[in-house]
Amino acid sequence: MSAASPEAPTVHPTAAIGQDYNPFDPAFQSNPYPFYARARSEAPIAYCPQFNVWLVTSHELINRVLKSPTLFSSLHNLDSPVVLPAEIEALLAKAHYPLAPGLFNNDPPGHTRVRALFSKAFTAQRVAEMEAGIRTLTEGLVERFAHQGHVDLVEALAHPLPMTVIADLLGVPREDMRRVKQWHDTWMKLFSPQTPLEEQHVAAQSCVDYQNYYAGLLADRAAHPTGDLTTALVQARVDGEKPFTTAEMISQMMILLSAGHETTTSLISGLLYNLLRTPEQWRAVRDDPKLLEAAIEETVRFTSPVQMEPRVAKEATELGGVAIPQGARLNIVYGAGNRDERAFADPETFNVQRPQVGRHLGFGWGIHFCIGAPLARLEARVAFEVLRERLPHLRLAPGFVPEYEPSFFFRALKKLELVWDR
């Protein structure tokens, strides 16, 4: 599950910059953007010795990587960015369903096959038909706290809304959601360099248990089809292509649940936080529904819920004037590319009137463009619309200071404390 990239030179000219990259440092979590700006200016391809990766931070070079999937592979995207002990690797190897290549962790032609099969199960019509249910769910969640006058929006809405939506989409019974979420969160600890060995054992076992749970759900849907996405995956067929294997479907379901709630939680909380800390923009979007779509896209650019995705160089190459060795691991840092002053005017300002905001990289680009982007946008829109209707005078709680979850991949508020006049 972990794959160390080949050794870089002991001292690389860019290492003095790259060594300051540490998403697990509280100061970095609080504000990574000064580092991103320095890296873009001085070394848009910078070697990070701590994690043995090359950081790609400019909008132009990130685009170049994304548009070259045959050179920069996604096949190892689910490998841990930290080297796991042999005993943990051995425990993971006991899984009946090792994580298989899918949408996120695949290259052409395998990715092309999976995307074609998956598109049959994740259509625009299916997403559009979900709006009424998402609105009902959102209204129910808001109703629970509307009378209180204060709330942590992450805990009360931004997390449970997308978690429930993606679980319902997959067909995970709501009584199993807490258990599934616990397996997911524990599995994610394998991607952190701060997880001690004892917790890694628990995380590896959670990964195995998580896979076995989905295997049981798939077997049930094969015998008793329903209208959920798990059934659609079981039944997905494209002429001339093999159907999904069980391992492929399990891998897809694990990634879908992760991407479907982690990123949308961040999008919803980021949308509200950035609007409320600039009250004139909150009022503008509240009073002009036409601005809401632009505000969502600006949030994706400004917040970058997915901060980074990995790639691996399949052969020795040159990128931005830097020699990249074969097998080198790259972190393409969307959070940096989306603040690139060469791509966006005044990029450090949140601006719902921003022209060409659609140039952002927040949903990826090219063949790996996020297949769930329409659903994430829909959930963010509905969440805002319900809050606008029920709590039009929302404000940030006095003294609120944002704190962010430690992660290589995501940028997500731990809490979002809001108040209003009851």
Side-chain angles (χ1 to χ4, degrees):
M1 184 173 176
S2 60
S5 54
E7 290 189 11
T10 303
V11 178
H12 189 272
T14 62
I17 295 173
Q19 68 183 0
D20 292 334
Y21 173 76
N22 185 3
F24 295 88
D25 175 68
F28 188 99
Q29 294 164 18
S30 176
N31 187 10
Y33 299 106
F35 168 79
Y36 292 162
R38 180 189 173 206
R40 284 194 309 268
S41 174
E42 299 179 26
I45 305 294
Y47 177 66
C48 173
Q50 181 178 358
F51 301 112
N52 195 18
V53 297
W54 297 84
L55 307 174
V56 187
T57 54
S58 81
H59 189 279
E60 177 191 358
L61 294 178
I62 291 172
N63 258 313
R64 192 179 304 177
V65 172
L66 294 176
K67 292 177 179 178
S68 305
T70 57
L71 177 58
F72 298 104
S73 172
S74 298
L75 197 61
H76 297 283
N77 280 5
L78 290 184
D79 290 351
S80 175
V82 297
V83 179
L84 298 174
E87 59 194 281
I88 302 301
E89 293 282 13
L91 182 55
L92 290 167
K94 293 180 180 179
H96 295 295
Y97 307 101
L99 291 172
L103 274 173
F104 179 66
N105 59 324
N106 210 345
D107 297 327
H111 175 270
T112 307
R113 164 185 167 269
V114 173
R115 187 102 185 182
L117 284 165
F118 210 82
S119 64
K120 299 292 183 179
F122 208 97
T123 64
Q125 180 180 350
R126 180 184 291 270
V127 173
E129 290 171 350
M130 295 173 68
E131 179 168 350
I134 290 172
R135 191 171 298 276
T136 298
L137 174 60
T138 306
E139 290 171 345
L141 290 168
V142 174
E143 183 64 30
R144 294 179 185 178
F145 61 79
H147 65 284
Q148 296 175 355
H150 61 88
V151 74
D152 170 9
L153 198 77
V154 172
E155 179 182 27
L157 179 65
H159 168 256
L161 173 61
M163 180 66 194
T164 305
V165 169
I166 196 64
D168 285 352
L169 182 64
L170 285 168
V172 173
R174 290 193 179 181
E175 60 267 24
D176 290 348
M177 276 177 46
R178 184 180 298 273
R179 184 166 49 141
V180 167
K181 172 63 172 171
Q182 184 176 14
W183 279 327
H184 168 271
D185 289 351
T186 308
W187 168 47
M188 286 288 104
K189 292 183 179 181
L190 292 177
F191 295 84
S192 169
Q194 296 180 325
T195 304
L197 181 60
E198 182 178 344
E199 292 185 24
Q200 287 182 339
H201 275 274
V202 176
Q205 185 60 54
S206 287
C207 180
V208 174
D209 292 342
Y210 193 16
Q211 291 170 313
N212 289 335
Y213 172 84
Y214 278 140
L217 188 63
L218 287 163
D220 179 78
R221 293 303 188 269
H224 309 287
T226 68
D228 59 34
L229 184 56
T230 299
T231 300
L233 290 173
V234 171
Q235 297 177 344
R237 299 291 186 274
V238 173
D239 290 343
E241 298 288 358
K242 295 180 180 179
F244 285 130
T245 66
T246 299
E248 285 177 318
M249 287 187 284
I250 290 172
S251 179
Q252 296 292 0
M253 294 164 81
M254 293 173 74
I255 291 302
L256 268 177
L257 187 122
S258 180
H261 83 275
E262 297 271 14
T263 56
T264 309
T265 293
S266 177
L267 175 57
I268 293 171
S269 57
L271 173 66
L272 269 295
Y273 173 63
N274 284 302
L275 287 174
L276 290 172
R277 71 190 185 96
T278 51
E280 68 280 1
Q281 297 199 75
W282 161 259
R283 290 189 292 269
V285 177
R286 183 194 64 188
D287 298 338
D288 184 359
K290 294 179 182 178
L291 284 178
L292 179 54
E293 180 179 341
I296 291 171
E297 296 306 312
E298 175 68 347
T299 299
V300 177
R301 181 199 73 83
F302 191 77
T303 300
S304 296
V306 177
Q307 281 283 289
M308 179 280 293
E309 283 187 356
R311 294 292 189 271
V312 173
K314 296 176 71 171
E315 59 186 63
T317 187
E318 176 272 335
L319 187 65
V322 175
I324 304 296
Q326 182 180 16
R329 189 178 180 93
L330 291 80
N331 285 5
I332 50 175
V333 189
Y334 296 131
N338 281 336
R339 298 283 188 104
D340 193 333
E341 57 280 353
R342 288 160 291 192
F344 303 99
D346 193 18
E348 302 297 330
T349 298
F350 182 83
N351 178 12
V352 298
Q353 305 279 3
R354 179 176 301 280
Q356 296 184 311
V357 69
R359 294 185 63 201
H360 70 72
L361 303 166
F363 290 121
W365 200 263
I367 67 168
H368 285 286
F369 183 82
C370 176
I371 200 168
L375 180 57
R377 289 169 170 138
L378 172 61
E379 292 178 64
R381 174 171 63 80
V382 171
F384 180 89
E385 289 172 348
V386 172
L387 288 169
R388 176 181 61 197
E389 179 181 348
R390 290 299 310 277
L391 308 172
H393 301 294
L394 273 175
R395 304 182 300 279
L396 291 176
F400 171 71
V401 177
E403 295 183 21
Y404 294 85
E405 298 286 355
S407 175
F408 277 113
F409 303 103
F410 306 119
R411 182 160 176 80
L413 284 165
K414 290 182 177 181
K415 294 182 177 182
L416 180 56
E417 296 173 355
L418 305 180
V419 296
W420 59 93
D421 301 323
R422 288 182 292 179

